[in-house]
Amino acid sequence: MKEEKKKYYVFEMNLKWLNIFSIILLLFFFLIAIAFDVKINFTGSSWIITLILFIPYLILHELLHGFSYVLHGAKLKNITFGAHLEKGILCCLCKQNVSKKNILISLVYPFFWIGIVTYIIGIILNNSVLTLLSIINLSGCSGDLMMFFSFLKLKDFEYSEYDNPTSFGLYSENDLSQERLFGLNYIGTKEELEKNDFKKITISKTSILFLFLFLFIILFYLVK
């Protein structure tokens, strides 16, 4: 009977708030690093190393999301990855419903391990490359953190993703349509979410062009 009452309440990220929050995080952690006198150089070999590691570090962010999903109950075959850089998004999606505990841990997994932990190590070692990579990752966690703090106050729901990197569903018997969630816009309800169009890895055409440009810049610096 309870299953009949459950609906998918679909929400969409507000990209304006996501970008604003991302800039705030970037400035906040950058200023802390400066306060601890970390020498962040934007020229020379450290900048080139940071540039080379930039994309792999962001990919590691998504891999950690996927690892956490599986570690806390999701099936590996249901994990997919995507790049939609025209929207400023790299994503890890899970095409099965997961518990509140699972999604909360998965959301903050990269933030903690390759954000906070590596940031502290970078400051202690006065390592500009590790500190800068950590700051970029922390800034990129804006959407994860918006969702994390919004979900903390909700009860009795399962998190559900589908073939859309900026939207998701919360499967619940409670009416979530009136919930005010920071940085998230309520779209409506659905009986179910279509999950059959998932590809294991989805890369948009814009993302492919960006990656070629990124590789060209790296090669230019290396041979210069």
Side-chain angles (χ1 to χ4, degrees), residues 39-78:
K39 307 300 182 184
I40 299 178
N41 300 315
F42 290 96
T43 58
S45 60
S46 58
W47 175 243
I48 296 173
I49 294 172
T50 303
L51 189 65
I52 292 172
L53 294 176
F54 174 68
I55 294 295
Y57 209 76
L58 295 182
I59 292 174
L60 179 59
H61 175 115
E62 301 306 329
L63 290 174
L64 284 173
H65 276 313
F67 176 74
S68 183
Y69 272 133
V70 175
L71 188 63
H72 297 94
K75 295 181 179 179
L76 181 59
K77 67 179 182 179
N78 291 331

Side-chain angles (χ1 to χ4, degrees), residues 26-39:
L26 181 72
L27 294 175
F28 176 75
F29 287 106
F30 196 87
L31 290 174
I32 290 178
I34 292 175
F36 279 94
D37 202 29
V38 177
K39 307 300 182 184

Side-chain angles (χ1 to χ4, degrees), residues 11 23 68 76 111 113 125 152 154-155 160 175 181 210:
F11 292 85
I23 293 171
S68 183
L76 181 59
F111 175 80
W113 289 113
L125 299 179
L152 274 179
L154 301 180
K155 296 181 179 179
S160 182
D175 184 1
L181 304 179
F210 177 86

Side-chain angles (χ1 to χ4, degrees), residues 65-198:
H65 276 313
F67 176 74
S68 183
Y69 272 133
V70 175
L71 188 63
H72 297 94
K75 295 181 179 179
L76 181 59
K77 67 179 182 179
N78 291 331
I79 306 299
T80 69
F81 299 93
H84 306 269
L85 299 179
E86 68 278 11
K87 299 179 180 179
I89 293 174
L90 291 176
C91 61
C92 169
L93 304 178
C94 180
K95 60 177 182 179
Q96 71 177 76
N97 288 13
V98 296
S99 66
K100 176 181 178 179
K101 176 183 177 181
N102 188 321
I103 185 58
L104 286 178
I105 295 175
S106 298
L107 284 170
V108 295
Y109 219 69
F111 175 80
F112 179 75
W113 289 113
I114 60 170
I116 297 297
V117 171
T118 53
Y119 181 70
I120 293 172
I121 294 173
I123 288 177
I124 292 173
L125 299 179
N126 199 14
N127 185 305
S128 62
V129 172
L130 187 57
T131 303
L132 188 55
L133 285 171
S134 299
I135 291 173
I136 293 171
N137 178 69
L138 289 164
S139 174
C141 289
S142 55
D144 297 336
L145 293 178
M146 287 194 310
M147 293 166 67
F148 177 82
F149 289 114
S150 293
F151 294 169
L152 274 179
K153 68 176 185 177
L154 301 180
K155 296 181 179 179
D156 301 323
F157 73 87
E158 292 180 341
Y159 177 81
S160 182
E161 293 174 307
Y162 57 114
D163 199 15
N164 186 331
T166 62
S167 302
F168 58 88
L170 299 179
Y171 189 52
S172 176
E173 65 178 355
N174 301 318
D175 184 1
L176 304 181
S177 62
Q178 302 303 313
E179 293 286 349
R180 300 174 70 89
L181 304 179
F182 171 61
L184 305 176
N185 299 326
Y186 173 66
I187 302 299
T189 61
K190 290 188 176 182
E191 292 301 317
E192 59 182 336
L193 296 180
E194 180 59 56
K195 302 179 183 182
N196 296 323
D197 294 333
F198 275 58

Side-chain angles (χ1 to χ4, degrees), residues 16-32:
K16 180 185 76 173
W17 281 110
L18 183 144
N19 291 327
I20 291 173
F21 191 32
S22 180
I23 293 171
I24 291 172
L25 289 170
L26 181 72
L27 294 175
F28 176 75
F29 287 106
F30 196 87
L31 290 174
I32 290 178

